[in-house]
Amino acid sequence: MNPQLRNPYVQQYSLGMEYQLGRSYMFGLSYIGSKGTHLTRLVPINPVVNGPAPATSPADETARFTDFQQAIKNENGPGNNRLDSRFNQVNRLDDGASSTYHSLQLTGNKSFSHGLQFQASYTWSKSIDNASDFYPAIQANDNSFAQDASQLAAERAVSNFDIRHRIIVTGVWQVPFFRGRKGFAGKVLDGWSFESVNLWQSAVPATLLAGTRTIQDVTGNKLPVADVNLDGSLISPSLDNTRPNCAPAGTHFTLGAPGAISGFTQPLLGNDGTCSRNSVRMNSLMNFDWSFFKDTELTESGPWGSGPWKLQFRAEMYNIFNTPFLTAQGDAWRTITSASFGTVNAAGIPRKIQLALKLSW
C-alpha cells in the first residue's frame, strides 16, 4: 500500500430546468455529472524485466521454445527475473485512479388526479474510469487489473457499471369503471387499482481475456503458457491479465451467439493484446413488474366499536411477461480460448406471482 495514500473524493455538478403544463404535468431536462479523484486501484509493481523478446510469429515461438520455457520457470522463486528478485508478484494499492460521469436526463410526471399518476424517465449517460474498484476478486466481467503496469493510461475505458441508456416508466391507475356500484357486482368490480414499474436498460461492458496459449517445439512437445504476455502479473493464480487482439477491421460480439463472434485472436508470447478494457457489451435488460389491487369494504362497523372492516386483495407479478435475461458468470465465457467463450450460463429472475389478502379494521 502507498503510505501516502490520499483520501478519494467526488465532485458533483448539475444543471436542470423544469416546465409545468397545466396543473398535473411536469417535464424536466437535466445535465448531471461527477468527477472522482484519488480513487483506489491495484497495480502490479514487480513485473518481469529480463524476459525474452516478444515472439513475432508462431514459427518464432517454436524456434525459441527453450527460451520461453526457461523464462516461465524464472518468473518466480529465488533468482527470478523480476524488477526486484527478492520477491515474486507484488501488487500495490494506490490512489491513482480517476473517473468522470456525464448524463442527460429527461423526465415526465403526471401528478395523481382522476385516479391516474405516472412518471417516465430516460437517462443517456457515460461513465469512464481507469479502475472501477481496487479489489479484482469482487468485480464481475472486468477485474480493473492493468494489462501493462507501465501503460496505465491505456486502462482508461468505460466503467464496469456503465449503462448508456435507461428508460423507466411507472404508473398508478385506479380503475374508474363500476365506481359506486352497489350490491354484489360492486363488491366484485369496484375498487380495483393497477400499478406498474417497467424498465429497459442497455448492456454493461466486459473485458475479454486471452486465455492459456499452447506452443510446441520442433519435435511436437507442447507447453501451455498461462502468462501469455510474460509479465509475471496474474489477476489471480489461475487468471492472466493478457487480453486478446482486436482485428483492426472491427470485431463482433453477441453474448449467447458464439458462432457469430469474430475479430478476436490470441496474442503471441510476450505480447499484450490490442483489445482495450471493457471492449464488449453483454445483453440488455428488460423487465415489467405489474400489480393489481382490490379494496373491498366488508362492513362499516364491527364488534366493540371497530370498523370499517376492509379486505385488500393483492396480485403482484414480477417479470410478468417472463422476458428472459440471459447473462454469464465466471471467466470462461469471456476467455477466447475457452470452449464456453461467448455462451450464456446464467439467467435473470423468471416470472414470479404473489397473491395476498390483507384484512384491516
Side-chain angles (χ1 to χ4, degrees), residues 81 120 127-128 193 211 234 260-261 279 292 327 349:
N81 52 7
S127 179
I128 300 174
S193 299
L234 301 178
I261 296 174
S279 58
F292 296 90
T327 186
I349 299 174

Side-chain angles (χ1 to χ4, degrees), residues 8 20 32-33 51 165 202 215 229 248 259 265 289 293-294 304 349:
Q20 183 171 344
I32 297 176
H165 304 279
S202 56
I215 64 172
N229 60 1
T265 57
D289 295 337
F293 302 84
K294 172 70 171 72
W304 306 291
I349 299 174

Side-chain angles (χ1 to χ4, degrees), residues 114-326:
H114 306 291
L116 178 65
Q117 183 273 332
F118 65 82
Q119 179 172 330
S121 65
Y122 167 68
T123 301
W124 177 35
S125 64
K126 188 173 186 179
S127 179
I128 300 174
D129 59 36
N130 47 18
S132 294
D133 204 305
F134 68 91
Y135 188 37
I138 66 172
Q139 300 180 70
N141 312 322
D142 172 66
N143 304 100
S144 293
F145 193 88
Q147 180 177 222
D148 184 347
S150 66
Q151 301 289 335
L152 293 177
E155 295 302 302
R156 196 157 187 83
V158 293
S159 304
N160 298 0
F161 43 81
D162 176 64
I163 298 174
R164 198 60 51 88
H165 304 279
R166 175 179 282 170
I167 299 173
I168 300 178
V169 179
T170 64
V172 177
W173 182 40
Q174 293 182 343
V175 181
F177 312 119
F178 311 109
R179 186 172 295 169
R181 181 72 65 90
K182 302 297 182 181
F184 178 77
K187 297 292 186 184
V188 175
L189 301 176
D190 189 18
W192 283 96
S193 299
F194 168 72
E195 297 181 3
S196 70
V197 178
N198 310 288
L199 163 72
W200 177 85
Q201 68 180 38
S202 56
V204 296
T207 299
L208 299 183
L209 302 172
T212 298
R213 182 170 181 80
T214 300
I215 64 172
Q216 63 181 24
D217 63 14
V218 292
T219 62
N221 294 319
K222 294 183 178 182
L223 176 67
V225 181
D227 183 17
V228 177
N229 60 1
L230 302 180
D231 67 344
S233 300
L234 301 178
I235 301 171
S236 69
S238 60
L239 195 65
D240 185 30
N241 64 341
T242 310
R243 298 166 191 157
N245 288 327
C246 286
T251 61
H252 179 78
F253 180 89
T254 300
L255 182 61
I261 296 174
S262 62
F264 304 101
T265 57
Q266 196 177 44
L268 299 168
L269 285 190
N271 292 273
D272 288 326
T274 60
C275 292
S276 65
R277 172 174 161 255
N278 283 334
S279 58
V280 300
R281 295 274 174 172
M282 302 181 74
N283 291 331
S284 59
L285 170 64
M286 182 182 295
N287 188 70
F288 301 90
D289 295 337
W290 289 9
S291 302
F292 296 90
F293 302 84
K294 172 70 171 72
D295 291 311
T296 304
E297 185 174 298
L298 301 178
T299 179
E300 292 186 1
S301 60
W304 306 291
S306 63
W309 285 58
K310 295 183 178 181
L311 181 68
Q312 184 184 74
F313 166 73
R314 303 168 62 96
E316 300 173 338
M317 285 152 277
Y318 304 96
N319 190 13
I320 185 172
F321 299 117
N322 205 28
T323 306
F325 173 55
L326 302 179

Side-chain angles (χ1 to χ4, degrees), residues 68-88:
F68 289 123
Q69 186 179 45
Q70 188 60 44
I72 294 166
K73 292 180 180 179
N74 291 340
E75 282 188 354
N76 296 299
N80 61 51
N81 52 7
R82 294 178 178 269
L83 182 64
D84 188 337
S85 61
R86 297 174 299 171
F87 305 99
N88 293 330

